[in-house]
Amino acid sequence: MNSIALKMLMGDKLKYFGLVAGIAFATMLILQQSSILVGFARQTGAFIRDTAQADLWIMDPQVRFSQDQVPVRGTTIQLARGVPGVDWALPLYQGFLRGKMPDGTRFTMILVGLDDATLMGAPPVIADGTLADLRRDKAVFIQADKPEKKLMMKRGGNRPLAIGDRFSANDQEAVVAGTYRGRESFFWEPVVYTTYSRALQYAPPERNSLAFILVKVKPGHDLQTVKAALEDRTGLAVRTNEEFIKLTADYILNTTGILVNFGLAVALGVLIGSLVAGQTFYNFTLDNLRHYGALKAMGVSNSQLMGMVLLQAGTVAVLGYGVGVGLGSMMGWIVASQGLAFSMPWYVPAFAFTAIISVCALAAWLSLRQVFKLEPAVVFKA
Amino acid sequence: MKPSSNTPAVACKAVTRVYGEGETAVQALRGIDLDIQSCELMMLVGPSGCGKTTLISIIAGILDKTDGACRVFGDDLAAMSAAERTLWRRENVGFVFQAFNLMPALTAVENVAIPLLINGVPRSQALERAGEMLARVGLDNRRHSLPSQLSGGQQQRVAIGRALVHAPRLVVCDEPTSALDHETGHQVMDVLRAVAAVDDRALVVVTHDARIFNFADRIARMDDGRITDITANAAAREAVPA
């Protein structure tokens, strides 16, 4: 009976391709919307991932996201270093500063100050120059990726900042000594790296300037134990990279409405995809109702018919899903290569697969109701 | 008609069937008494809406009667559960439909093999036996043709092959020639008569195609849910010349 079911499914090529295409479209829609949402969520944690040499971040408990500025006292570093299991604890400055390019173009930057001695917390890839160049006089590193978008001199030469260019950081001179490559970030301001001491010179004077303390746990020590001890000793919030990423993503997604908007888009994708896939399969079954009636008359039981319909639904679901994932991945590759938010971790296709299988199961169930209700005597109606 | 045992293949007594309830109820059958013998080709004739299709649906076990008794090969279908009746139909009944009802995606031989597959015969054996049956209905050279590639008469012969391939004891045919021209209709009835009405099999043919009345052993005329007259072959031939 399985061969009959599959022949029924694939016999009419146009309907068959329509079914697979409908489900592929639904899969692609779900994948695309979900991946964009995940992409945005991931981009919110770009800075934290770029600074991933540390295991833990010490911060003020009021910090809501990675670019939030709630400094802590500088003496906290000494407290942290005294906690058993701490390999090293280093300062990290981070703050928004106004800048002005040589041609007068004004911009706002996120200035990051790395520990002068170790330069820990630097971005993972240095594109031009070496990290040690940061120790040169007035040296800063700017992002090499898409400079035309973030650090473009629009009023003069209409060119991006380059190595050797000087610009003003909070009315003090900075020299571009190198470039780095970082992850695509949700935040649009350019991130400029310098040393911790120079960052304090550039930044407006404050009572406390230390944004974060980066902590590395000694090998063989339990991360959670050290984390709890740091919290106890400093009285501040201590977060792992993943916890800080989640905190940031939750805050950004919720306060900006991205979660609601893209959640709706994902829901819409599931709904439209469901309607397309479900309706197409339901119509396919209705088109074949007469044949199911004939089979019923000839002695095919309801359980055999159920097996046939489920086999058909499962076949188009798996095929359509496969095609949809392929198309979705291709579209994602194109979108991501343009620097747009698109990320497809394993759970996105798994979610889409669950959604598509559920939709097809629902459509099959609705179809089966019609098949079960069908009186075999219908076959004698002309 | 060959001599048969005293027990009829089909024995209907005071069979009634009512569709709907209350004021909208329609009495489709009003007390049918009918016996059909093995090896007999019985035709049910009458105007549209007289209850012919309802009667063969009850005889074939795909519709419940409202009242009366109907035994087919001694089995009381009303006493069976739906699942038992499905199994009974699977083994004992072959169907020929007015609109052929062939699966458009299956080849002729695959269509004929369907009842064997339903009965659990392995696919290769089923296709082999279906091929032999196609040869018996004169379509050996069209085994791998799709229904859309066959003429109406050829499609109906495939349907006859499908109805007979699992050697059922009862074959019910609903208007088997109404979609065919005169000559093709006669060819189909020739095949049906030659291949089906053998081996103690009973055939019930519903038709209002007077051109094929002479193929019947007996003709039961129906009107308004009742059998008004049953005539034997000779009388039928006299009444309606071929």
Side-chain angles (χ1 to χ4, degrees), chain B residues 107 109-114 116-117 121-133 143:
Chain B
T107 61
V109 71
E110 287 169 335
N111 264 293
V112 173
I114 288 174
L116 296 173
L117 296 172
V121 176
R123 186 175 162 78
S124 57
Q125 282 181 37
L127 289 175
E128 191 182 331
R129 283 171 60 183
E132 290 166 8
M133 179 51 72
R143 284 181 185 212

Side-chain angles (χ1 to χ4, degrees), chain A residues 325-345:
Chain A
V325 167
L327 290 174
S329 302
M330 198 185 301
M331 182 177 281
W333 180 75
I334 294 168
V335 168
S337 66
Q338 301 301 309
L340 301 174
F342 192 98
S343 179
M344 200 195 293

Side-chain angles (χ1 to χ4, degrees), chain A residues 138-157:
Chain A
K138 300 175 184 174
V140 296
F141 272 42
I142 60 170
Q143 195 165 355
D145 315 275
K146 299 192 179 64
E148 71 280 3
K149 282 192 176 173
K150 293 187 173 177
L151 288 168
M152 194 76 178
M153 288 189 278
K154 295 171 186 164
R155 303 180 69 185

Side-chain angles (χ1 to χ4, degrees), chain A residues 114-130:
Chain A
L114 308 176
D115 175 60
D116 292 49
T118 62
L119 298 177
M120 277 295 178
V125 180
I126 301 300
D128 293 303
T130 62

Side-chain angles (χ1 to χ4, degrees), chain B residues 77-78 82 89 94 124 132 137 164 194 199 201 232 238:
Chain B
L77 301 182
R89 277 202 311 273
S124 57
E132 290 166 8
V137 297
L164 300 174
D199 303 331
R201 186 176 289 137
E238 284 169 18

Side-chain angles (χ1 to χ4, degrees), chain B residues 39-83:
Chain B
C39 288
E40 183 179 31
L41 195 162
M42 168 69 83
M43 278 191 190
L44 299 177
V45 303
S48 292
C50 70
K52 308 182 295 288
T53 301
T54 299
L55 182 56
I56 59 161
S57 297
I58 291 172
I59 291 170
I62 56 176
L63 190 68
D64 290 324
K65 62 185 171 47
T66 304
D67 209 350
C70 185
R71 287 182 172 272
V72 185
F73 303 113
D75 295 323
D76 181 6
L77 301 182
M80 295 181 185
S81 67

